[in-house]
Amino acid sequence: MPDRFEILHKDLAGRIGRLSTLHGTIETPALMPVVNPHLPLIPPNEMEKMGADMIITNSYIIHQDPDLRVQAMERGLHDLLGFSGPIMTDSGAFQLSVYGDIDVSPLEILNFQFAIKSDISVPLDIPTPPDVTRERAESELKITEERLVQAASLERSALLACPIQGSTYPDLREKAGRFARDLPFDVYPVGGVVPLMEAYRYRDLVEVVTAAKKGLGSGRPVHLFGAGHPMIFALAAAMGCDLFDSAAYALYARQDRYLTVQGTGKLEEMSYLPCCCPVCQEHTLKELMESPQKTRLLAQHNLYVSLQEMKQVKESIREGSLWDLLETRCRSHPRMLDGLKRLSGQGPWLESLDSASKSTFFYLSPEAACRPEVMRYARRIDRISLQGNVLITDDSQADTSGFAHVLHFKPPFGPYPVELSETYPFNAEVPEEADDAAMKQALKITKDLIRANPGAKFRFRLKNREMEELLRREQTIAGAIQGE
Ligand code: GUN
Ligand code: ZN
């Protein structure tokens, strides 16, 4: 097959892509609802109507049920489940991580997935949990990698996934990513992260996913195993995850939990259904609670909001405003904010992937002071070459006569040539009153500009007198150093 993954648009490390399978091409990022082959809470053909382009099921569960196994072998997976689009199958590795043992060999379960015509098969990896000893993480990774090499050598017509493990050791994750990059696979799932998400450890999640991505490079499609809560789609997509699987829509429904992009509500503690999906339009909260179909209806709502959020993520990527969505979503939980901070700490990496032209930069929170656009500008500030009298001002009416150069001042960027004020990112919408993070960043960039231009004489006209005084002092210090 020619290139199976094509990238159409980029924002941060996120992208809109197209992934081609034997049952059609899907646009990514995409959410695959998990289908339990025993008792699907929502029938797969209904999922298709709800907007799910692709689903995922568990080949191990099918394999262990004699009836299902025969049916799947005879009719194929698509006919068995009643879904005409692409179907991914998992290998039972997750059962392995929960129950400690499964009674099927790696080769057997992989060949079974091929035989039932899975569109994306997954070899039997070992999902190493977080925080294990390094020795265990390394030895389990070695076994996973031996199985991957074996899997890669098999004859196949459909796509094959290459799970990336390594527990909470970023260097092992990066190494696993590099290893995977050199093998002929089609999709690269980051595995072993469910316990991190269950414990709200989003900072560690960002750490391991970005490490795996660095090793893997940016061209391959990445699946984040077990990421099904819509709250984290923006964050995961911003790191360059392209596929998501959701069992959450059903698991939460079984516990009377109502998903929203801000988090999870408990039905009995709610008063309204704050959503416009068909379920929430056609039922009051009371009707929903009293319905004999409660779990199924709630699962439908949960899936609707998840699919809708995926569309929102795509729209934001297309528009170049994924960062804004990220900031909004990450404000729904303090630990999400930790995740966002960790991601903004990956400045150089993000910057290397982030495409340059976008919709207007909105400064909405202190995290934006470290956005890739700001970091990029900070790193290149010494390229601005100035001689003679230079005015730095935030007053567009300021008297500029007698100055060789005029720079406008806007936190978090600090000074930039006035000619660029209508261009991205300097046309940013920022608050009237800058916060400390924006001021600190602007101050640092201004200092670097002053130091890079010893031949220039800077003057400042700023509304913020304190800032003006700080910069004036900086100019004096720089001058004194020059004069030594
Ligand atoms: N489902 C959730 N996590 C994992 C994982 O690490 N590997 C596999 N194969 N499936 C998973
Ligand atoms: Zn709803």
Side-chain angles (χ1 to χ4, degrees):
M1 238 194 241
D3 234 5
R4 288 169 163 144
F5 185 61
E6 189 191 348
I7 293 173
L8 308 176
H9 304 284
K10 293 196 232 175
D11 191 12
L12 304 175
R15 56 276 186 98
I16 306 237
R18 283 163 65 82
L19 180 67
S20 300
T21 76
L22 291 178
H23 285 82
T25 297
I26 57 144
E27 204 171 87
T28 61
L31 175 67
M32 302 178 281
V34 174
V35 172
N36 180 338
H38 277 137
L39 60 158
L41 207 46
I42 304 173
N45 65 347
E46 207 174 301
M47 290 178 172
E48 209 159 2
K49 288 186 206 130
M50 292 171 72
D53 298 327
M54 185 170 177
I55 57 174
I56 180 167
T57 191
N58 193 310
S59 67
Y60 179 67
I61 295 177
I62 299 174
H63 185 271
Q64 294 311 99
D65 180 313
D67 186 38
L68 282 178
R69 173 168 36 181
V70 171
Q71 299 254 3
M73 293 289 282
E74 283 175 0
R75 295 159 54 195
L77 192 54
H78 294 76
D79 191 45
L80 177 77
L81 297 181
F83 189 83
S84 63
I87 305 180
M88 180 169 178
T89 46
D90 200 357
S91 53
F94 195 58
Q95 278 68 18
L96 178 73
S97 72
V98 176
Y99 305 113
D101 194 19
I102 60 168
D103 53 1
V104 58
S105 77
L107 206 52
E108 212 176 337
I109 197 65
L110 192 53
N111 277 322
F112 179 66
Q113 295 175 71
F114 293 165
I116 63 177
K117 306 223 160 28
S118 167
D119 290 292
I120 306 179
S121 303
V122 181
L124 189 68
D125 54 323
I126 301 182
T128 308
D131 314 317
V132 301
T133 62
R134 193 177 171 90
E135 290 67 37
R136 176 171 164 198
E138 276 177 337
S139 70
E140 292 185 354
L141 182 57
K142 189 157 169 281
I143 299 171
T144 293
E145 290 179 347
E146 282 162 11
R147 292 179 185 176
L148 291 172
V149 170
Q150 182 192 41
S153 72
L154 301 177
E155 192 72 34
R156 62 186 165 92
S157 52
L159 276 57
L160 192 57
C162 179
I164 298 173
Q165 300 288 345
S167 184
T168 25
Y169 296 94
D171 63 315
L172 286 188
R173 291 280 185 175
E174 189 168 343
K175 187 167 143 277
R178 266 199 308 277
F179 183 87
R181 173 189 201 143
D182 296 330
L183 292 172
F185 285 87
D186 309 291
V187 171
Y188 297 80
V190 176
V193 292
V194 170
L196 292 180
M197 293 186 279
E198 282 175 350
Y200 288 73
R201 290 172 60 181
Y202 301 117
R203 200 170 43 190
D204 294 321
L205 180 71
V206 168
E207 196 82 65
V208 305
V209 173
T210 52
K213 286 281 302 187
K214 283 179 198 166
L216 187 61
S218 61
R220 318 294 175 86
V222 169
H223 171 187
L224 189 58
F225 255 135
H229 198 301
M231 185 168 79
I232 73 154
F233 292 169
L235 180 64
M239 294 190 281
C241 297
D242 308 289
L243 292 172
F244 301 80
D245 58 276
S246 172
Y249 77 94
L251 296 174
Y252 282 81
R254 291 187 203 283
Q255 301 168 2
D256 284 356
R257 283 168 189 262
Y258 182 94
L259 297 186
T260 77
V261 290
Q262 278 105 26
T264 315
K266 291 198 187 93
L267 272 193
E268 77 266 17
E269 291 172 4
M270 293 169 65
S271 310
Y272 299 94
L273 298 177
C275 165
C276 296
C277 83
V279 175
C280 299
Q281 276 199 333
E282 287 159 23
H283 301 81
T284 62
L285 177 65
K286 188 162 178 289
E287 284 163 357
L288 180 61
M289 300 259 285
E290 289 168 1
S291 167
Q293 300 291 324
K294 182 180 65 176
T295 304
R296 189 178 58 82
L297 289 168
L298 195 48
Q300 278 177 333
H301 156 81
N302 287 347
L303 188 52
Y304 270 122
V305 288
S306 306
L307 290 166
Q308 179 180 327
E309 175 65 357
M310 206 48 91
K311 283 194 202 162
Q312 178 62 67
V313 167
K314 282 163 73 172
E315 180 62 14
S316 299
I317 294 174
R318 181 72 185 86
E319 201 185 52
S321 61
L322 185 58
W323 185 278
D324 300 340
L325 182 67
L326 204 52
E327 283 195 359
T328 313
R329 294 299 183 252
C330 290
R331 292 214 127 42
S332 34
H333 196 286
R335 300 288 203 84
M336 293 273 300
L337 207 49
D338 290 338
L340 176 60
K341 288 205 180 109
R342 187 53 61 100
L343 183 62
S344 29
Q346 303 277 358
W349 175 69
L350 270 186
E351 209 190 288
S352 71
L353 297 171
D354 196 30
S355 63
S357 113
K358 302 197 172 191
S359 68
T360 311
F361 178 129
F362 277 44
Y363 189 96
L364 297 171
S365 75
E367 280 70 42
C370 298
R371 274 177 67 147
E373 295 92 334
V374 183
M375 303 313 284
R376 183 180 296 136
Y377 185 59
R379 210 166 35 76
R380 296 180 181 169
I381 192 70
D382 59 358
R383 295 190 190 175
I384 298 183
S385 168
L386 304 166
Q387 296 290 335
N389 288 332
V390 179
L391 176 66
I392 294 181
T393 182
D394 52 12
D395 177 3
S396 54
Q397 308 298 320
D399 180 7
T400 59
S401 53
F403 289 101
H405 305 273
V406 178
L407 290 97
H408 273 176
F409 184 86
K410 186 190 277 189
F413 297 102
Y416 57 89
V418 68
E419 300 77 31
L420 296 179
S421 37
E422 297 308 317
T423 56
Y424 187 87
F426 305 107
N427 59 349
E429 293 287 349
V430 302
E432 291 269 355
E433 203 166 312
D435 62 23
D436 288 348
M439 277 302 191
K440 200 169 149 213
Q441 186 68 271
L443 183 62
K444 181 189 169 297
I445 294 175
T446 316
K447 283 183 178 178
D448 289 347
L449 179 72
I450 294 173
R451 286 182 191 178
N453 288 284
K457 199 163 167 21
F458 290 88
R459 287 287 167 269
F460 307 96
R461 303 262 183 285
L462 299 177
K463 281 188 239 117
N464 185 327
R465 287 305 152 105
E466 209 178 319
M467 182 63 122
E468 193 177 292
E469 191 46 43
L470 277 173
L471 289 172
R472 204 167 279 140
R473 233 178 284 157
E474 182 60 29
Q475 155 96 333
T476 314
I477 295 167
I481 293 170
Q482 285 305 313
E484 271 171 7

